[in-house]
Amino acid sequence: MHLLTLPPATLLTLLLPSALASVLPPATVAPSAKPLPLLIWHGLGDRYDAEGLRSVGTLAQKVHPGTYVKFIKLDDDGGNDRTATFFGNVSAQIETVCEELRHDPQLASVGGGSTGVGEMRVDALGFSQGGQFLRALLQRCDGLSMRALVTFGSQHNGIAQFQLCGAYDFVCKGAAALIKNNAWSDGVQGRVVPAQYYRTVNESTGLGSEAYLAGSRFLADVNNERVVKNEGYAAKVASLDKLVLFVFGEDQTVIPKESGWFAEVNATSEEVTPLRNRTMYHEDWIGLKKLDERGGLVFKTAPGKHMELEEKLLAETFGVYFGPERVAQGGMMDGLVVQGGDGGS
Ligand SMILES: *[C@@H]1O[C@H](CO)[C@@H](O)[C@H](O)[C@H]1NC(C)=O
Ligand SMILES: *[C@@H]1O[C@H](CO)[C@@H](O)[C@H](O)[C@H]1NC(C)=O
Ligand SMILES: *[C@@H]1O[C@H](CO)[C@@H](O)[C@H](O)[C@H]1NC(C)=O
Ligand SMILES: *[C@@H]1O[C@H](CO)[C@@H](O)[C@H](O)[C@H]1NC(C)=O
């Protein structure tokens, strides 16, 4: 299993000045504007206080000084937070996180987006399962507004198989054993995290299988795959400025890896049906088509295996998608002219 294992000591020292210069925010940003807060949700088997994850937060602050970084956690104890990546009710976990955000004064105070008082306006960065959980958080947490959501190696369209566990990772093995026995039972769906985004397909219809649609307590709901749709979900996803989906080119952990792009992979023929060819897109179950038509949906490939992150790619991504709100071109140009001192005559 590949976790977030960036060598923390090298992460920042290797960030050459030239690399940083190339990711400086575009000129349409007011120099004084405060960056949006950044939520970071780690992946399976990782913990909120891990050094590698912390250095990602530090990098985000280096690219956009003053960024308030919030590491999503389900327990103050890092070990328990890691266990909660394997065991727990994902819907309940998302409710807990939503409540915690609401009680964070640093998020409330930087509100003031277009939808009114008390809005929490953030950027978000999700690693592996943290990616689909952040998307679900956006869909379900009232008052939360996201500008950019960037996910790396996530399982937006679920997994067809549970990943291999490390030889001595008994928490992981325990979860795997339960999924193998009966993934769709209430006991497993209410308790084993990866089971809640496990997904099987009906080979003749190409849609989610009957067992999945009946049993999945998390993914079938947040992907609006059932007959009765939650309209609010589509509105929330379509409200994003950008949804940036990175798939690791050599990913062998996420099966299939194209899940990170919302693609469907035929388990028998391995044929990949891209999102834009799927019913969930054409009928716009969760707002992805609307977002795509506005140019808000970005498909990207990251080199390497699952969670083999490069700081240069991260820094570039943070530079482009995070930081202060970008103001409409016209207004900002005026501002910059005045600041440059050659606006008067
Ligand atoms: C999981 O938590 C949600 C939200 O608290 C709750 O509605 C649901 O019944 C729980 N599911 C199971 C299977 O326990
Ligand atoms: C697949 O879908 C078809 C058409 O809805 C249905 O008749 C069939 O029973 C499904 N197959 C399985 C294995 O559930
Ligand atoms: C998946 O591939 C198999 C084998 O080629 C094929 O028989 C089946 O119809 C495909 N399923 C879908 C939904 O396209
Ligand atoms: C996707 O749909 C387009 C237009 O209908 C079609 O030309 C293309 O072959 C499809 N691609 C795949 C991989 O299904």
Side-chain angles (χ1 to χ4, degrees):
M1 177 163 53
H2 291 271
L3 301 174
L4 185 57
T5 49
L6 293 170
T10 55
L11 179 65
L12 295 177
T13 51
L14 285 182
L15 186 67
L16 305 170
S18 59
L20 198 58
S22 70
V23 302
L24 283 177
T28 47
V29 171
S32 59
K34 194 170 162 49
L36 285 184
L38 175 63
L39 310 181
I40 301 181
W41 200 329
H42 61 78
L44 184 74
D46 206 358
R47 47 195 281 173
Y48 81 102
D49 56 356
E51 259 185 295
L53 196 73
R54 295 276 144 176
S55 50
V56 171
T58 306
L59 179 62
Q61 289 168 328
K62 188 160 180 173
V63 175
H64 294 293
T67 302
Y68 171 59
V69 176
K70 184 158 183 89
F71 297 95
I72 303 289
K73 62 170 161 38
L74 287 152
D75 201 297
D76 290 334
D77 176 85
N80 291 343
D81 184 52
R82 178 178 192 271
T83 301
T85 69
F86 290 101
F87 292 106
N89 172 335
V90 176
S91 293
Q93 291 183 342
I94 284 167
E95 281 176 10
T96 303
V97 170
C98 178
E99 265 318 292
E100 189 176 334
L101 298 186
R102 288 197 179 123
H103 288 100
D104 185 332
Q106 302 230 50
L107 295 178
S109 62
V110 293
S114 53
T115 63
V117 182
E119 181 185 85
M120 299 175 282
R121 177 85 167 152
V122 300
D123 285 325
L125 173 65
F127 294 117
S128 201
Q129 71 181 13
Q132 64 264 27
F133 296 169
L134 279 169
R135 173 170 63 85
L137 183 70
L138 169 68
Q139 291 172 219
R140 289 179 176 173
C141 186
D142 287 338
L144 180 65
S145 156
M146 276 179 200
R147 188 255 311 260
L149 170 59
V150 178
T151 72
F152 280 90
S154 295
Q155 300 90 33
H156 289 292
N157 198 50
I159 49 170
Q161 275 176 47
F162 190 58
Q163 68 188 57
L164 292 174
C165 299
Y168 299 101
D169 194 341
F170 298 110
V171 179
C172 178
K173 288 187 161 178
L178 286 166
I179 292 177
K180 206 168 198 173
N181 288 340
N182 188 359
W184 308 125
S185 72
D186 270 350
V188 172
Q189 285 291 317
R191 210 152 68 85
V192 183
V193 168
Q196 292 159 73
Y197 55 84
Y198 176 64
R199 184 171 179 277
T200 53
V201 177
N202 179 318
E203 286 278 284
S204 63
T205 63
L207 299 174
S209 71
E210 284 71 2
Y212 162 77
L213 293 176
S216 169
R217 288 286 172 273
F218 172 72
L219 194 73
D221 176 76
V222 296
N223 283 2
N224 250 345
E225 292 179 84
R226 298 204 173 93
V227 174
V228 179
K229 311 289 184 212
N230 182 326
E231 305 282 330
Y233 287 173
K236 283 304 274 293
V237 172
S239 78
L240 282 164
D241 246 38
K242 288 279 191 283
L243 175 59
V244 185
L245 305 167
F246 277 95
V247 163
F248 292 96
E250 312 295 316
D251 200 326
Q252 292 161 340
T253 303
V254 178
I255 304 165
K257 65 179 190 296
E258 293 83 0
S259 182
W261 289 325
F262 284 99
E264 184 82 272
V265 180
N266 183 319
T268 315
S269 67
E270 296 190 346
E271 189 191 335
V272 179
T273 306
L275 171 67
R276 289 177 181 130
N277 285 46
R278 296 185 58 196
T279 309
M280 80 174 296
Y281 181 87
H282 291 132
E283 296 182 359
D284 211 12
W285 294 348
I286 59 166
L288 293 168
K289 186 179 182 200
K290 201 168 173 196
L291 183 63
D292 194 25
E293 285 166 353
R294 279 198 359 250
L297 191 55
V298 184
F299 300 93
K300 292 204 178 259
T301 302
K305 298 200 172 89
H306 192 61
M307 294 310 294
E308 279 183 357
L309 291 160
E310 288 178 1
E311 74 271 10
K312 186 165 183 295
L313 175 64
L314 286 175
E316 280 168 5
T317 304
F318 299 168
V320 172
Y321 298 107
F322 300 157
E325 295 268 22
R326 273 73 166 166
V327 188
Q329 205 88 13
M332 270 321 298
M333 293 315 276
D334 294 345
L336 286 178
V337 170
V338 171
Q339 292 230 347
D342 54 348
S345 59

